[in-house]
Amino acid sequence: MKKFKMFMSGVMMLTALSACKNPENSKSETTKETKDAVTQKGEEKSHVYTDDPAYITKEIKVTGDVINPLTLTVDSLKKMDVKNLKDFNVVCQSGLTKDKIESTKGVLLKDILEKAKIEQKDHTDRNFYIVARAADDYKATFSWAEIFNNPNGDKTYVLLEQNGQPLKEKGEMIVVSMNDTKTGPRHVKWLKSIEVHRVQ
């Protein structure tokens, strides 16, 4: 019985580690996994590390139900209200800390959406959702109320710098929701677009 418990503990530990691999130790392995995830339709995207330059994004499009569609770069974000942020960890669903960030800079997602101006008929027209989409088609979703009528809106950013350096291999911009208990699932690197949709 004791041996069986030890065996099961080992299996659980391996399962947790496989859910959030250390990018420094498995670049070649995870590159293949990411490519496979992109090509297999209908399956959840892994959004793990890859050095494939095809995923490196230099601009993001703000599209959908907005009056002013935007194309944003790091330079255009720097002209907005950039916040200096400190001590942020990327924690995946298993609880493993994937990245420790001492300092970062970013612009609030709601500031970007206000610049794009969501197509609301009046102040009661609030049934919208926002999709942050990566170059590998990984997606994170936010509701209108979460961004504009919730403390989470003051902690959801498009990042453009980490520890004093450009993001580079993670794409030049990242979406992150710092208020989430597990920040990994809505940590969207290789950010490609921010899409606003009306709930049908």
Side-chain angles (χ1 to χ4, degrees):
M1 185 68 179
K2 185 176 180 180
K3 289 183 178 179
F4 177 75
K5 288 182 178 179
M6 289 176 65
F7 172 75
M8 290 304 295
S9 296
V11 169
M12 291 174 69
M13 186 177 294
L14 286 171
T15 301
L17 288 173
S18 64
C20 283
K21 296 181 180 179
N22 186 333
E24 297 301 322
N25 294 334
S26 57
K27 290 183 181 179
S28 60
E29 196 174 319
T30 54
T31 297
K32 182 179 183 301
E33 290 176 2
T34 303
K35 289 177 180 176
D36 290 346
V38 172
T39 55
Q40 291 172 0
K41 295 182 179 180
E43 295 185 8
E44 184 179 356
K45 306 298 184 293
S46 58
H47 203 50
V48 293
Y49 177 88
T50 177
D51 56 4
D52 189 334
Y55 295 141
I56 307 301
T57 50
K58 295 186 179 295
E59 63 179 31
I60 55 177
K61 304 279 189 183
V62 184
T63 64
D65 291 311
V66 295
I67 295 171
N68 304 313
L70 302 173
T71 299
L72 299 173
T73 64
V74 169
D75 288 339
S76 58
L77 286 179
K78 285 180 178 178
K79 296 176 183 177
M80 297 179 68
D81 185 12
V82 177
K83 306 290 187 184
N84 293 301
L85 311 163
K86 294 187 179 296
D87 300 325
F88 168 66
N89 292 339
V90 180
V91 181
C92 72
Q93 195 63 40
S94 70
L96 182 69
T97 298
K98 297 176 68 178
D99 198 3
K100 292 185 177 183
I101 301 168
E102 295 177 3
S103 65
T104 186
K105 291 183 179 181
V107 174
L108 283 169
L109 176 59
K110 71 176 178 180
D111 285 354
I112 292 171
L113 293 172
E114 285 174 350
K115 187 178 178 71
K117 198 172 181 182
I118 295 174
E119 287 187 354
Q120 293 176 269
K121 297 173 184 176
D122 53 47
H123 73 281
T124 64
D125 187 17
R126 300 183 292 265
N127 289 320
F128 295 87
Y129 63 96
I130 297 96
V131 179
R133 187 185 302 271
D136 67 344
D137 207 36
Y138 185 88
K139 297 176 285 292
T141 344
F142 304 86
S143 69
W144 180 95
E146 184 180 14
I147 298 300
F148 292 102
N149 194 30
N150 190 286
N152 199 52
D154 294 322
K155 290 289 186 179
T156 303
Y157 290 91
V158 174
L159 304 181
L160 52 97
E161 186 179 295
Q162 179 176 318
N163 299 332
Q165 299 296 323
L167 296 171
K168 293 184 179 179
E169 74 274 3
K170 296 180 180 179
E172 294 194 355
M173 289 155 282
I174 293 173
V175 157
V176 66
S177 178
M178 292 184 169
N179 245 17
D180 289 358
T181 304
K182 303 289 177 60
T183 53
R186 293 204 289 188
H187 179 265
V188 184
K189 52 188 178 284
W190 312 312
L191 183 63
K192 176 182 177 182
S193 62
I194 297 168
E195 303 159 15
V196 179
H197 302 284
R198 180 183 295 277
V199 176
Q200 300 298 322

